[in-house]
Amino acid sequence: MNLTRRQVLAGLASLGVVGLGAGGVRYWLGRPENVASHDYELIAAPLDVELVPGHKTPAWAYGGQAPGLELRCKQGERLRVRFVNRLSVPTTIHWHGIRLPIEMDGVPYVSQAPVLPGEFFDYSFICPDAGSYWYHPHMASSDQLGRGLVGPLIVEEAEGSGFVHERTLCLKTWSVDGQGAFTAFSVPREAARGGTPGRLSSINGQHNPRISLPAGQVVRLRLLNLDSTITYRLNLPGAEVRIYALDGNPITPRPLGKEYWLGPGMRIDLALRVPAAGSELSLRNGPLRLATLAGESSESTGSDWPAALPANPIAEPDLGRAQRLRFNFEWAAMLSENIEQGAAYKLWQINGQAWDIQNKGCADRPIATLKLGEHYIFELRNLTQYQHPIHLHGMAFKVLDSDRRSIEPYFTDTYLLGKNETARIAFVADNPGVWMFHCHVIDHMETGLMAAIAVV
Ligand code: C2O
Ligand code: CU
Ligand code: CU
């Protein structure tokens, strides 16, 4: 019999052989068996990492790694995370893409008080949707995400996915110099444009890694863009590869095609037929290599293209009865003027309003108030020369159409709104709370491109 390590541990624990010391929690295939209060103890703390060979980068880590520890949970089950802040600054955790109660959404002064240095906060919520999600702070974001506080949250399909093999690939491009020292996470001139980009690409914290995969097998690749700025133009030349899910939500599988633009915060689940042992593929951002995927001979057999993943239980918006609202995303004013007036946060606006991250009262003035249970169509109009990955907390929305590309409607939590594009999204406002609605280019979000949407 092939016991998993978890079964072994659980067995030993029930015999009292494995003792977990007082408060001692181990992350073990995600699930310690005998901890009553939580499934994970997730600690945020400083950690030196080696991004540039031979040099240290003073990162901030979740669970002793940057990007953070992969958290896993089964669809429909409760995830309980005791978050411990061992940083020198206050922080929170937001669970990107998870439809959860507002108290667990991790937005400071909106859904909770900041978690102060030395304190902890117990997050506990059910994960209703399977797929690839992630977590990150929602305060001092350019600094905290820039230093590495980003991590994957994988929600496994309740009934299994049909995939035998899978890998999680966290994409992040670090703002470091040749000696591994951090460079500015946010530069005003860049914030006024596409956002401040890093220089060193990485997958799971390694620049240009070589990733071995079982030759001939079909492998699920969960690609998560945990970067603050970069839209990766993903391509895999010569590969047999299909898209199975976008931003957590299943689609009818289709070929990856030439390139997929994965904006900050977005995820894509691919199925890849790994080439024969000894052959390699190059995972690229446009023309730039991000990783080498290498076929390695393996024992495993028989994994083939699975059927489409089961749809998540998201309410279908009724377009006939939906109310329509329009949101204009605009570039606010002359940069120099703003900086002189000390109002650098006002570079971007939604419907003429700029969010001020210094002002705790902003959430008291929602840009829209929706009626609980009602159906809505949002028209998103990008009046700028830059693209914006537009993200909504608390609810998944369906992308209906765009004036720039043909869209097969799909559910998501983040839509990459192209330059001067107008797109329509729809959803049922079925989650009460005050939900953030913002661009996920962190520089944009911190200089105005954020709003609160109330559902009451
Ligand atoms: Cu990743 Cu406010 O979100
Ligand atoms: Cu979010
Ligand atoms: Cu933006």
Side-chain angles (χ1 to χ4, degrees):
M1 188 164 71
N2 198 353
L3 284 180
T4 65
R5 296 187 73 179
R6 173 176 163 184
Q7 285 167 316
V8 171
L9 250 199
L12 292 175
S14 64
L15 293 171
V17 176
V18 174
L20 299 182
V25 176
R26 44 208 311 176
Y27 344 94
W28 196 249
L29 282 180
R31 296 276 165 166
E33 297 294 328
N34 55 352
V35 173
S37 62
H38 48 278
D39 306 309
Y40 290 93
E41 181 179 73
L42 186 69
I43 299 173
L47 177 79
D48 287 344
V49 295
E50 190 174 327
L51 298 168
V52 179
H55 296 278
K56 281 183 183 162
T57 298
W60 289 353
Y62 284 127
Q65 55 186 87
L69 180 76
E70 178 171 306
L71 305 181
R72 293 189 86 99
C73 171
K74 206 169 217 129
Q75 179 179 19
E77 291 185 356
R78 183 170 288 276
L79 176 65
R80 301 166 307 167
V81 179
R82 170 158 296 178
F83 170 57
V84 183
N85 181 5
R86 296 221 177 108
L87 302 167
S88 56
V89 295
T91 187
T92 61
I93 298 187
H94 167 64
W95 310 92
H96 183 120
I98 305 290
R99 299 186 293 129
L100 41 60
I102 184 70
E103 301 78 35
M104 294 293 131
D105 199 43
V107 178
Y109 312 112
V110 176
S111 51
Q112 69 171 104
V115 184
L116 301 177
E119 293 190 342
F120 70 88
F121 186 92
D122 284 333
Y123 290 97
S124 170
F125 49 85
I126 287 168
C127 297
D129 305 314
S132 304
Y133 301 91
W134 66 295
Y135 61 96
H136 59 83
H138 223 281
M139 59 189 299
S141 298
S142 55
D143 199 43
Q144 297 195 8
L145 275 70
R147 288 176 192 274
L149 293 179
V150 295
L153 166 55
I154 305 302
V155 184
E156 296 164 4
E157 288 75 14
E159 310 296 343
S161 67
F163 284 96
V164 179
H165 309 277
E166 67 167 66
R167 294 282 193 286
T168 304
L169 306 181
C170 295
L171 279 56
K172 178 171 167 58
T173 298
W174 298 79
S175 297
V176 291
D177 64 19
Q179 277 69 49
F182 280 125
T183 55
F185 299 116
S186 178
V187 176
R189 283 189 74 78
E190 302 285 346
R193 298 176 174 148
T196 309
R199 285 188 30 218
L200 187 73
S201 76
S202 74
I203 290 190
N204 298 345
Q206 257 188 290
H207 177 62
N208 219 335
R210 187 169 187 283
I211 299 168
S212 313
L213 300 169
Q217 302 293 300
V218 171
V219 175
R220 180 182 193 166
L221 297 178
R222 302 171 179 271
L223 289 133
L224 289 74
N225 183 349
L226 309 190
D227 196 64
S228 299
T229 306
I230 311 259
T231 291
Y232 296 94
R233 293 158 44 202
L234 293 176
N235 63 91
L236 262 159
E240 223 189 312
V241 59
R242 302 178 189 170
I243 307 176
Y244 270 63
L246 296 174
D247 309 314
N249 290 294
I251 61 164
T252 304
R254 62 167 192 252
L256 172 63
K258 193 170 142 267
E259 197 164 78
Y260 185 86
W261 290 30
L262 194 71
M266 297 165 70
R267 294 86 63 209
I268 187 170
D269 284 39
L270 301 176
L272 169 72
R273 166 79 72 191
V274 179
S279 9
E280 292 179 345
L281 291 168
S282 167
L283 173 64
R284 308 193 310 177
N285 169 21
L288 307 171
R289 182 190 298 238
L290 294 169
T292 301
L293 308 182
E296 302 253 306
S297 59
S298 83
E299 314 270 88
S300 51
T301 50
S303 69
D304 213 333
W305 303 102
L309 296 165
N312 283 321
I314 299 168
E316 186 67 36
D318 178 345
L319 304 184
R321 63 181 269 203
Q323 270 201 53
R324 286 148 200 273
L325 297 175
R326 174 182 282 181
F327 296 89
N328 292 335
F329 300 91
E330 296 157 291
W331 198 73
M334 296 300 292
L335 171 63
S336 51
E337 209 176 289
N338 268 320
I339 289 176
E340 277 162 29
Q341 292 165 2
Y345 66 87
K346 281 184 175 163
L347 298 175
W348 306 91
Q349 296 180 342
I350 304 179
N351 288 353
Q353 295 181 41
W355 183 275
D356 178 359
I357 51 168
Q358 306 303 336
N359 183 341
K360 296 171 189 142
C362 272
D364 302 336
R365 299 182 291 277
I367 201 161
T369 299
L370 313 184
K371 206 160 159 265
L372 184 62
E374 272 312 313
H375 299 232
Y376 291 89
I377 295 175
F378 282 12
E379 186 178 289
L380 310 179
R381 297 207 308 164
N382 184 354
L383 306 174
T384 79
Q385 298 301 314
Y386 299 92
Q387 52 187 14
H388 304 289
I390 301 299
H391 171 52
L392 175 65
H393 289 205
M395 288 160 291
F397 55 81
K398 190 171 206 171
V399 183
L400 301 176
D401 49 38
S402 152
D403 66 347
R404 290 298 162 108
R405 53 192 121 168
S406 81
I407 287 191
E408 208 175 303
Y410 67 101
F411 283 106
T412 180
D413 51 63
T414 309
Y415 178 70
L416 185 62
L417 193 63
K419 305 173 190 180
N420 296 309
E421 176 182 355
T422 296
R424 294 189 316 148
I425 64 172
F427 64 99
V428 183
D430 57 3
N431 199 358
V434 175
W435 303 106
M436 308 312 291
F437 179 52
H438 63 87
C439 174
H440 224 289
V441 170
I442 301 300
D443 257 348
H444 292 173
M445 156 188 168
E446 294 208 308
T447 54
L449 216 58
M450 178 150 71
I453 303 239
V455 176
V456 290

